[in-house]
Amino acid sequence: MRRAIFAAAIAVVAAGAVQAQPPSSGQPAAAPAGDADRGKTLFTRNGCYQCHNYEGQGGAAGPRIAPNPLPFRGFAAYVRAPRGDMPPYTVKVMAEQDLADVYAYLRTRARPRDVSTNPLLSR
Ligand code: HEC
């Protein structure tokens, strides 16, 4: 019995770990058109930067979410109802178009340079 509970706990932790993985690259399906400049303002004004950093590159309190955020539906669903330490953003705080603009901002951030371009790591 105790073993079953333990196994269930592991399964829950493992499921959480999978969801926390950085999203894979690729075009998100049907992301609505967004204004990246406006998204930048919203990203700052709504405090996303405090945890995810100004470029969405990740910070002390939140993971990297740019330049390859989750597909838009998953992204929007997560921001509305996060499962971890992130506060939820309701439609009153951020309208659907606001999310689309922030999404456009994140998608247009620079890609990190490939690690092979780092001379200290390429010996
Ligand atoms: C107080 C810190 C904090 C703030 C503010 C915050 N986040 Fe987060 N966010 C997190 C943390 C921590 C996670 C990792 C999972 C969790 O604990 O919810 C996360 C996860 C996410 C994810 C899922 C990442 C993934 O790939 O699974 C998205 C998308 C996201 N945040 C977007 C945003 C946006 C957009 C805003 C602003 C509207 C925002 N966050 C504001 C802390 C924050």
Side-chain angles (χ1 to χ4, degrees), residues 36-122:
D37 287 340
R38 190 166 175 273
K40 178 179 184 166
T41 306
L42 292 166
F43 196 77
T44 309
R45 192 199 296 156
N46 289 308
C48 314
Y49 79 94
Q50 291 177 357
C51 299
H52 296 286
N53 231 321
Y54 286 98
E55 301 278 309
Q57 75 270 42
R64 169 182 284 280
I65 53 173
N68 292 318
L70 298 166
F72 184 75
R73 274 295 121 223
F75 172 87
Y78 197 87
V79 173
R80 298 276 185 240
R83 286 173 298 270
D85 294 334
M86 180 172 143
Y89 289 79
T90 63
V91 123
K92 274 190 192 162
V93 179
M94 287 189 87
E96 202 68 3
Q97 187 58 51
D98 295 347
L99 292 184
D101 293 345
V102 165
Y103 195 75
Y105 173 65
L106 294 174
R107 299 246 312 138
T108 51
R109 295 309 82 211
R111 248 145 243 291
R113 280 190 304 167
D114 191 281
V115 71
S116 66
T117 62
N118 183 331
L120 293 174
L121 299 176
S122 64

